[in-house]
Amino acid sequence: MSSMGASAEENLETKQMDERSFSISSSQGQQQAPPYVHKVGIPPRQNLFQEFKATIKETFFADDPLRSFKDQPKSRKFVLGIEALFPILNWGRSYNLKKFRGDLISGLTIASLCIPQDIGYANLAKLQPQYGLYSSFVPPLIYAVMGSSRDIAIGPVAVVSLLLGTSLSNEIDPTTHPEEYRRLAFTATFFAGITQATLGIFRLGFLIDFLSHAAIVGFMGGAAITIALQQLKGFLGIKTKNFTKKTDIVNVMHSVVSTAHHGWNWETILIGASFLGFLLFAKFIGKKNKKFFWVPAIAPLICVILSTFFVFITRADKHGVEIVKDIKKGINPSSVKEIYFTGDYLGKGFRIGVMAGMIALTEAVAIGRTFASVKDYQLDGNKEMVALGAMNVVGSMTSCYVATGSFSRSAVNFMAGCQTAVSNIVMSVVVFLTLEFITPLFHYTPNAILSSIIISAVINLVDYQAAILIWKIDKFDFVACMGAFFGVVFATVEIGLLIAVSISFAKILLQVTRPRTCILGKIPRTTVYRNIHQYPEASKVPGVLIVRVDSAIYFSNSNYVKERILRWLMDEEEQGKGDYQTRIQFLIVEMSPVTDIDTSGIHALEELHRSLEKRDVELVLANPGPVVIDKIYTSKLANMIGENKIFLTVAEAVAYCSPKLAEDP
């Protein structure tokens, strides 16, 4: 009964408010009694320290990472601190044989995929093949201990390998100075790890969100095209030393076409094309039926085994087929002394490392969040950054180059039924056994197979469906996507990345400096006021212009907001002259979307008030938020406008204007 009574009261109040909306009675000409007006609440003032503390907390500690430490004894806090740094100590207590069975199968599956990929990716980074395997041995072990994702598979990835290969080779020629090139690679890896760990420790992970999804889609697609083009040399058996070292499509295709008459090897093309067809067919089977996910996972290893055996028995290497030759046997040697901590290469290694670290971080966090949402568990982005940074710092000291989460391997890991990060440990053990005992068997592996494996691996990075969806949703996002794509394809990876970041920032600046504004009208038979373009049935109130500002008002947009509101007013006045409508006497600014305002914004409202006074138009504010109303009163703007012209709702503001409009002759 009480709820029914409350509902009846609400309906009555709504009806009364509707009746108080502007209406001019031709029969009675009597002024309605002034409606009850709800005052806009002014929040209690916070001192400077409290305000600063709240801002810092929301900026850097929005997830309240110390929640579990509250009301705990010191001994328990120490244990929780250790578990936070090494999550394996937490989930390891409940680990059992059933989980290990899933992790064992997953680890073996991704190991069969990563071994041939690692050899190819090392070639993409212009390093010797063993360095790709090294990077799938130590980093996954570190991540398994410190990482919080259950599904990420760690190792070298195509995009980062390409980025390192192009950036490092611009500084040092890997053919003439292989030792210095390798040292610079370790230096870049060290600083990539430092960058990642620093972002995590200081909780600056939100910085990677400035690279928009659209920009990432374009960048990855462009990188995939570039990577595939880079493989044409090995795929076609081109041996010329004059093959371009640039990555853009124009130079690469010119080198390919110019060597068509004398530089291609038909045996190499036959091997590469045959096994590329097999790899694509295996991918098709895996997509067609999810039960056969293991088919595309083991297909690269099968290709390596079969092609190596074929080259060995036919001695195709004697007929111009390029082979891998020797892969150094044994596990990672120490590389601590090879890192440049002084000299000219220190700055270059730092610059390349920061760039590679950010790209690797963006890819890993995106992959981790994707699979965490599927399995419905929380992923701490800052912990992930610390784990990724630690593994790359340790990796740089153990002859590894930048490792991160691989989407293809993580997808296989997920579909194979992984339970925990132990699948990375299993993969690492298999790579260890490969380094110790199996590497000599890769001697006759043709380079064309590695090219085919890389081409088939990066095809999925060209996500044209995502690009089409971006076009449908947001045209500006599509510009960012295409800018990044064409920047990578027609220039360099670095320029493509720069374009992606620049367009992402340009979008932010455009939204900040040019916020949306709209005119509101009254929805029939309600006291609700909405955008007249979204709701054509909404009617304007004669003599009143209601404008909504859909953004905080800062120094960057305050002048635009003021001028845009005045333009709305001039447009309405011009329309009113032709339609013989009531002259605009009140301007109501709906401020509920205005989350904040600074001194420039206050100054803009003061100027707006003065401009309106000259036009004999009254400024009325509706529903300013707590931060905004506090600053309005502190700045004395409330006194200038009039405290009686600040209302809780647009309906109350219109009700205030109605009697005055009725008095107007």
Side-chain angles (χ1 to χ4, degrees):
M1 289 295 291
S2 61
S3 62
M4 291 177 62
S7 177
E9 289 178 5
E10 290 175 2
N11 291 334
L12 180 60
E13 184 181 352
T14 301
K15 185 177 180 182
Q16 290 173 344
M17 289 294 296
D18 191 36
E19 290 173 353
R20 286 198 292 262
S21 299
F22 170 70
S23 65
I24 301 177
S25 176
S26 59
S27 61
Q28 294 186 4
Q30 292 182 355
Q31 184 173 315
Q32 294 182 349
Y36 176 75
V37 177
H38 297 85
K39 288 288 185 182
V40 177
I42 303 174
R45 294 298 303 274
Q46 286 185 321
N47 61 43
L48 181 61
F49 176 74
Q50 289 175 329
E51 190 174 346
F52 180 75
K53 180 181 177 183
T55 303
I56 291 294
K57 182 179 179 182
E58 284 304 310
T59 303
F60 298 102
F61 304 99
D63 56 343
D64 195 9
L66 302 179
R67 187 188 304 110
S68 60
F69 290 80
K70 293 177 181 177
D71 303 322
Q72 297 289 342
K74 289 184 178 180
S75 58
R76 179 60 181 161
K77 287 181 179 179
F78 177 76
V79 173
L80 290 172
I82 297 297
E83 288 180 353
L85 188 59
F86 303 105
I88 193 171
L89 299 176
N90 184 14
W91 56 260
R93 290 197 296 267
S94 60
Y95 198 73
N96 53 43
L97 189 61
K98 183 179 179 181
K99 290 182 179 179
F100 178 70
R101 190 181 302 116
D103 287 334
L104 179 63
I105 295 171
S106 302
L108 293 173
T109 307
I110 58 176
S112 67
L113 176 62
C114 86
I115 291 170
Q117 280 188 349
D118 290 345
I119 297 172
Y121 291 159
N123 184 49
L124 200 60
K126 299 179 182 177
L127 291 165
Q128 291 177 307
Q130 65 268 20
Y131 293 103
L133 295 172
Y134 292 162
S135 301
S136 281
F137 173 44
V138 173
L141 292 176
I142 304 297
Y143 182 83
V145 175
M146 299 185 68
S148 56
S149 173
R150 307 171 194 168
D151 306 283
I152 285 183
I154 297 296
V157 295
V159 174
V160 178
S161 298
L162 173 69
L163 179 62
L164 283 175
T166 55
S167 300
L168 295 172
S169 59
N170 288 335
E171 305 297 337
I172 302 174
D173 190 327
T175 305
T176 56
H177 301 92
E179 184 179 347
E180 288 82 357
Y181 182 87
R182 185 177 68 248
R183 291 185 64 185
L184 188 58
F186 297 152
T187 305
T189 303
F190 175 80
F191 284 110
I194 293 294
T195 301
Q196 293 168 337
T198 301
L199 290 175
I201 292 169
F202 290 101
R203 306 187 68 79
L204 299 173
F206 61 85
L207 292 177
I208 65 172
D209 294 331
F210 280 98
L211 196 61
S212 67
H213 170 70
I216 292 173
V217 169
F219 176 78
M220 290 294 187
I225 299 294
T226 301
I227 290 166
L229 291 173
Q230 289 282 298
Q231 302 313 303
L232 290 178
K233 182 180 180 182
F235 188 83
L236 301 174
I238 299 172
K239 298 179 183 179
T240 176
K241 294 181 180 180
N242 295 325
F243 194 87
T244 182
K245 294 180 180 179
K246 297 181 179 179
T247 59
D248 63 283
I249 188 171
V250 175
N251 281 292
V252 172
M253 293 309 298
H254 179 267
S255 291
V256 170
V257 173
S258 63
T259 58
H261 296 293
H262 58 84
W264 294 12
N265 181 272
W266 71 267
E267 292 97 334
T268 301
I269 296 173
L270 179 63
I271 294 171
S274 301
F275 284 102
L276 178 59
F278 172 74
L279 289 167
L280 295 177
F281 179 68
K283 277 197 170 190
F284 174 77
I285 293 174
K287 284 185 178 180
K288 202 75 174 174
N289 192 332
K290 297 296 182 183
K291 293 180 180 179
F292 296 115
F293 69 89
W294 51 270
V295 174
I298 66 170
L301 189 61
I302 292 174
C303 287
V304 169
I305 294 171
L306 292 178
S307 63
T308 303
F309 179 71
F310 173 78
V311 171
F312 176 72
I313 61 172
T314 61
R315 296 315 303 265
D317 56 308
K318 301 291 186 182
H319 301 280
V321 175
E322 292 284 326
I323 58 176
V324 172
K325 297 181 181 177
D326 294 328
I327 299 179
K328 190 175 179 181
K329 188 177 177 182
I331 60 172
N332 309 33
S334 173
S335 57
V336 177
K337 295 181 179 179
E338 295 192 43
I339 299 173
Y340 288 112
F341 290 110
T342 58
D344 294 338
Y345 290 129
L346 173 62
K348 295 174 181 177
F350 175 79
R351 177 179 55 82
I352 297 169
V354 170
M355 187 165 49
M358 293 292 283
I359 292 296
L361 200 57
T362 302
E363 187 171 356
V365 172
I367 293 167
R369 286 174 178 169
T370 300
F371 290 110
S373 64
V374 173
K375 287 191 175 180
D376 194 25
Y377 66 89
Q378 294 296 319
L379 190 73
D380 189 326
N382 290 293
K383 286 183 181 178
E384 284 294 285
M385 294 173 197
V386 173
L388 292 165
M391 78 179 191
N392 278 315
V393 169
V394 175
S396 69
M397 299 177 181
T398 52
S399 299
C400 304
Y401 73 93
V402 180
T404 188
S406 164
F407 188 83
S408 59
R409 274 174 265 177
S410 298
V412 170
N413 196 31
F414 172 80
M415 289 186 287
C418 70
Q419 300 295 315
T420 67
V422 170
S423 59
N424 274 295
I425 298 176
V426 173
M427 178 190 72
S428 183
V429 170
V430 174
V431 172
F432 163 75
L433 295 174
T434 302
L435 285 166
E436 284 288 353
F437 305 108
I438 305 177
T439 50
L441 300 180
F442 290 109
H443 180 88
Y444 288 101
T445 301
N447 288 333
I449 285 299
L450 302 180
S451 298
S452 299
I453 291 170
I454 292 174
I455 291 171
S456 67
V458 300
I459 283 175
N460 290 339
L461 293 178
V462 184
D463 196 347
Y464 66 91
Q465 291 180 334
I468 293 171
L469 184 61
I470 290 168
W471 166 259
K472 292 178 179 178
I473 294 173
D474 192 315
K475 302 300 185 290
F476 197 96
D477 267 356
F478 184 77
V479 172
C481 179
M482 290 296 99
F485 177 83
F486 289 118
V488 174
V489 171
F490 288 100
T492 64
V493 178
E494 295 93 332
I495 290 176
L497 181 59
L498 180 62
I499 291 173
V501 173
S502 300
I503 295 178
S504 297
F505 269 102
K507 182 180 180 181
I508 295 171
L509 290 174
L510 188 62
Q511 290 175 339
V512 170
T513 58
R514 295 293 183 267
R516 295 182 185 275
T517 59
C518 63
I519 294 179
L520 304 185
K522 181 175 176 289
I523 303 294
R525 297 178 298 279
T526 71
T527 57
V528 177
Y529 291 80
R530 291 292 183 267
N531 188 340
I532 60 174
H533 292 292
Q534 184 178 1
Y535 298 92
E537 70 275 15
S539 59
K540 297 178 183 177
V541 180
V544 180
L545 176 63
I546 309 169
V547 178
R548 189 181 70 208
V549 180
D550 293 336
S551 167
I553 304 177
Y554 292 128
F555 66 92
S556 58
N557 63 22
S558 58
N559 194 54
Y560 168 80
V561 169
K562 180 197 70 175
E563 292 179 352
R564 189 67 187 91
I565 291 174
L566 289 174
R567 283 207 308 276
W568 280 124
L569 180 62
M570 286 188 288
D571 291 343
E572 288 298 306
E573 287 176 341
E574 288 177 3
Q575 290 180 10
K577 288 178 182 178
D579 297 338
Y580 300 101
Q581 295 179 350
T582 305
R583 183 182 68 84
I584 300 296
Q585 299 180 45
F586 294 92
L587 173 67
I588 300 174
V589 181
E590 216 283 67
M591 303 188 73
S592 55
V594 181
T595 56
D596 199 359
I597 190 169
D598 65 0
T599 52
S600 297
I602 293 290
H603 185 63
L605 289 180
E606 291 173 350
E607 290 182 348
L608 176 64
H609 174 67
R610 284 191 286 268
S611 297
L612 293 175
E613 277 186 328
K614 294 176 182 178
R615 298 166 182 263
D616 198 20
V617 177
E618 293 186 38
L619 176 62
V620 180
L621 304 182
N623 196 24
V627 175
V628 176
I629 192 64
D630 178 54
K631 293 181 179 180
I632 285 175
Y633 272 88
T634 302
S635 64
K636 309 301 181 184
L637 177 62
N639 295 335
M640 178 184 289
I641 296 174
E643 294 184 15
N644 62 327
K645 296 179 184 177
I646 302 176
F647 297 92
L648 184 64
T649 64
V650 174
E652 288 186 352
V654 172
Y656 163 80
C657 302
S658 300
K660 297 192 175 187
L661 288 167
E663 293 173 359
D664 193 55

